Amino acid sequence: NNTTVRLRRFVGTMASAVPIFGFRKHKNRTVVLLDIKLALPLIILALLLIVYFGSWILARKQGNSHAGHSISDSFALHNLSPILWTVEDVEAWARRIGFEDFALAVQKHLVDGKMLFMLTEDIITSKLDIPGEKAGRVLREIDLIRETRLDKLPEHLIHPPRLSSEQIFRNYGNSTFSLSASSKNKKIYRFYRIWESMMEKPTLTMEVNPKVASWNAFVQDIIKALAIVKSAEVHDKLIIRTREGSIVKSFSGLPSKAFILVDNEIFFYPSDIPGEKFVVPLPPSSRTVEVKRLSSTPRLFVVENFLSAEECEEIIKTATPLLAPSTVLKQGDQSNGEEKVKDEVRTSETAWLMDKKVPIVAKIRQRVEELIRIPMSYAEDMQVLKYTFKQHYHVHYDFFDPKMYPGDKRWSSGHNRLVTVFFYLTSVEKGGETIFPFGNTSAEEHHKIQSWGPCENAVESSIKVKPVRGSAVIFYLMKPHGHTHGELDHTSLHGGCDPIVGEKWAANYWIRNGPVQ
């Protein structure tokens, strides 16, 4: 037909011009022939042209046609390492150069009015939903700013704050900071304030490769990150502790979850897991003890085998000649915080072991410091107590309520007793328990608890710790959140019950929230 005739004429013309085509008849059909040996160079040339022009078109679309600049480069003034900008800085800069749509894109991703990110191709295109061609414009505008408009920018935009020598991003959804550009060999570390539960969301999550990161730089990054998430301003020091209270000084000792203590904050044993036990080493030997959680209201723990039988006997022997009737501090407007009086609420005998050079005293002081993770410069002298038949200390608080002692400026300033470490020197066959009325009592029943009176008046749900020679009890008198300025925990109410069968000997240290004044 006519189409076949035209095709044969066209192929014939091409075959005569470029001898790579031909045709022949095969079963009443016209077959086009191609000489592949002659055509191959032409095919390769055509593919190269397609790749070349395709790359050129793609580069123009992505904004890469701008001389001397690559989209994949990080935004860095004068070739500095990547810089962090706050959203306010970026918006001010974007509006200054008339790039309003960029500022509006930034606003979509605000959380509490704050955000941190580094200006890279990935951030501009994916995080801020800006197309590739606009991302190219943004980066070209940045170059223009660097070259011609630095004199018109505020100082904090020319030299924005940097968190460290490493790259830091903030995932503004969960306060996560990543400390390396590569995800290879990263580990995730979660950090909590001392009053937070490790079963819940952490204050801070850090992603870092511990094999290459500097520990000191890592700690500095944590300090700055705390300020970013408005958790704390670190003025003096930052200490990282494990859940058991050990200080962490390197990546090798850092667990996946840890506590961060800022400035003068003090470690509290966590009480969010019922029945949890902490294994604590005690000097000078490698002996360890278990600290078992009994209650969270108050934070109450028991330690078995804290003292040996010989140590208990030595303390009793040292204290016996110093025993005198127990007293309480006089309360009221006329009290100066020092006057001691006898009272029927406390009928035991007391001895004070004030000489810290006495071997048994020095040994137990060191052991208590290791147990409680607080310097013993915060501790009062060791108090030794003797209870005989029907002697007691009715329910009371160990802290000094500023309302009860208005004449003593120490307590009104926030200085006070923080924790009691109470250890039993004898076992009691019957009676003599230490009672905690709030221990197992639900919040709905707290109004039934009396803050005075004998053990017999306590509610049935009270926790009673039976005296066992050598064991110790730890209970906190302040709340973790607020202990640095003296926020008292009124669930620490407790009392010493009457021994019915047997004598009760005990001793304790009261440890304050700062050096003893």
Side-chain angles (χ1 to χ4, degrees):
N1 58 27
N2 290 336
T3 303
T4 304
V5 172
R6 291 191 185 97
L7 179 61
R8 292 182 63 181
R9 286 176 181 172
F10 171 75
V11 172
T13 303
M14 291 296 297
S16 61
V18 182
I20 61 174
F21 294 103
F23 61 89
R24 70 177 181 179
K25 285 233 177 194
H26 178 70
K27 294 182 180 180
N28 297 323
R29 294 182 182 179
T30 299
V31 179
V32 179
L33 303 176
L34 176 67
D35 190 333
I36 192 65
K37 292 182 180 180
L38 295 175
L40 186 59
L42 293 177
I43 295 173
I44 293 175
L45 178 60
L47 291 175
L48 289 174
L49 289 174
I50 292 172
V51 171
Y52 174 79
F53 284 107
S55 300
W56 180 76
I57 293 171
L58 183 62
R60 284 186 61 84
K61 284 188 175 182
Q62 292 183 341
N64 269 351
S65 60
H66 180 66
H69 189 83
S70 169
I71 278 288
S72 61
D73 290 342
S74 298
F75 171 27
L77 296 179
H78 300 294
N79 298 319
L80 296 176
S81 57
I83 297 174
L84 288 173
W85 287 49
T86 64
V87 67
E88 290 87 354
D89 292 342
V90 173
E91 288 188 335
W93 164 77
R95 291 195 174 96
R96 185 179 295 275
I97 66 172
F99 202 71
E100 290 291 328
D101 51 347
F102 181 63
L104 293 175
V106 172
Q107 287 180 343
K108 294 180 183 178
H109 299 270
L110 291 180
V111 175
D112 298 328
K114 294 288 183 182
M115 179 179 71
L116 284 182
F117 58 89
M118 189 174 65
L119 292 179
T120 63
E121 178 188 14
D122 176 64
I123 294 295
I124 291 173
T125 56
S126 63
K127 295 288 186 185
L128 300 178
D129 301 321
I130 293 180
E133 62 272 14
K134 288 191 176 183
R137 178 187 165 190
V138 169
L139 293 175
R140 289 196 298 276
E141 291 289 350
I142 290 170
D143 275 349
L144 185 61
I145 284 289
R146 290 195 304 180
E147 296 168 3
T148 63
R149 304 189 186 182
L150 282 176
D151 58 323
K152 297 180 181 180
L153 287 176
E155 178 66 21
H156 73 284
L157 290 184
I158 300 173
H159 302 291
R162 296 167 60 191
L163 293 191
S164 77
S165 59
E166 297 180 84
Q167 297 178 14
I168 297 181
F169 301 88
R170 177 179 174 191
N171 179 331
Y172 35 84
N174 60 7
S175 301
T176 299
F177 291 80
S178 176
L179 301 181
S180 62
S182 171
S183 60
K184 187 177 181 180
N185 296 323
K186 273 187 184 179
K187 289 188 176 182
I188 297 177
Y189 299 101
R190 294 175 175 84
F191 295 97
Y192 298 78
R193 306 304 299 277
I194 198 63
W195 54 84
E196 295 176 332
S197 168
M198 283 189 174
M199 302 299 104
E200 299 175 357
K201 177 182 175 182
T203 285
L204 201 63
T205 301
M206 308 292 282
E207 295 181 352
V208 67
N209 182 352
K211 294 183 179 180
V212 298
S214 161
W215 175 256
N216 290 334
F218 180 64
V219 172
Q220 291 304 311
D221 288 333
I222 293 175
I223 291 174
K224 293 182 175 67
L226 283 174
I228 290 169
V229 299
K230 295 184 177 180
S231 178
E233 293 287 345
V234 182
H235 301 102
D236 183 18
K237 61 183 177 180
L238 179 137
I239 296 176
I240 301 175
R241 288 187 181 268
T242 66
R243 188 171 175 86
E244 296 78 18
S246 300
I247 295 178
V248 180
K249 297 182 179 180
S250 67
F251 283 110
S252 62
L254 181 61
S256 60
K257 293 182 178 182
F259 288 111
I260 43 181
L261 281 69
V262 173
D263 294 339
N264 60 341
E265 290 178 349
I266 296 171
F267 176 76
F268 283 61
Y269 279 110
S271 63
D272 51 343
I273 300 178
E276 184 178 14
K277 295 180 180 180
F278 306 97
V279 178
V280 180
L282 296 179
S285 67
S286 57
R287 183 170 75 92
T288 61
V289 293
E290 283 188 345
V291 179
K292 182 180 179 181
R293 181 261 203 199
L294 295 183
S295 165
S296 59
T297 53
R299 289 194 180 215
L300 172 63
F301 305 84
V302 65
V303 186
E304 296 179 355
N305 301 313
F306 180 66
L307 300 175
S308 67
E310 294 75 17
E311 289 168 336
C312 292
E313 289 299 325
E314 189 172 352
I315 293 173
I316 292 173
K317 181 179 178 180
T318 305
T320 297
L322 303 174
L323 287 172
S326 299
T327 58
V328 296
L329 287 183
K330 184 179 179 181
Q331 300 179 0
D333 294 339
Q334 304 304 316
S335 170
N336 60 7
E338 299 295 338
E339 186 177 355
K340 298 178 181 180
V341 295
K342 296 180 182 180
D343 195 300
E344 284 302 310
V345 302
R346 189 182 191 193
T347 57
S348 59
E349 293 181 274
T350 300
W352 293 94
L353 302 186
M354 301 180 182
D355 189 351
K356 300 175 181 61
K357 295 180 181 179
V358 174
I360 186 61
V361 176
K363 182 194 295 187
I364 302 306
R365 279 179 63 86
Q366 182 184 9
R367 191 176 302 171
V368 169
E369 180 171 326
E370 290 295 325
L371 174 71
I372 206 67
R373 317 293 195 180
I374 302 174
M376 289 305 282
S377 58
Y378 291 23
E380 299 175 29
D381 295 316
M382 183 192 292
Q383 177 184 227
V384 182
L385 303 163
K386 179 184 178 183
Y387 293 83
T388 56
F389 179 69
K390 289 293 184 178
Q391 288 187 329
H392 52 258
Y393 194 170
H394 289 170
V395 293
H396 62 283
Y397 294 108
D398 280 354
F399 56 68
F400 298 98
D401 192 332
K403 297 176 183 178
M404 301 298 180
Y405 304 94
D408 195 321
K409 294 181 179 179
R410 290 175 297 180
W411 320 134
S412 59
S413 69
H415 181 79
N416 219 313
R417 290 173 176 169
L418 172 79
V419 60
T420 298
V421 182
F422 191 90
F423 30 97
Y424 300 104
L425 305 178
T426 59
S427 297
V428 180
E429 186 175 341
K430 184 178 180 180
E433 302 93 345
T434 306
I435 191 169
F436 295 89
F438 284 93
N440 282 329
T441 308
S442 64
E444 293 76 17
E445 300 293 313
H446 282 184
H447 68 280
K448 298 180 180 180
I449 297 174
Q450 296 179 346
S451 59
W452 52 272
C455 291
E456 293 76 19
N457 292 354
V459 293
E460 292 184 6
S461 56
S462 301
I463 288 180
K464 288 185 176 182
V465 181
K466 184 175 178 61
V468 177
R469 185 171 66 174
S471 65
V473 176
I474 303 168
F475 54 98
Y476 291 89
L477 316 173
M478 288 186 184
K479 297 179 179 180
H481 199 177
H483 71 275
T484 55
H485 54 267
E487 186 172 349
L488 305 175
D489 184 356
H490 286 82
T491 68
S492 64
L493 184 75
H494 63 285
C497 302
D498 302 29
I500 305 302
V501 179
E503 271 187 350
K504 173 184 173 181
W505 282 80
N508 73 274
Y509 277 106
W510 284 309
I511 301 169
R512 302 186 185 181
N513 60 343
V516 172
Q517 300 175 11

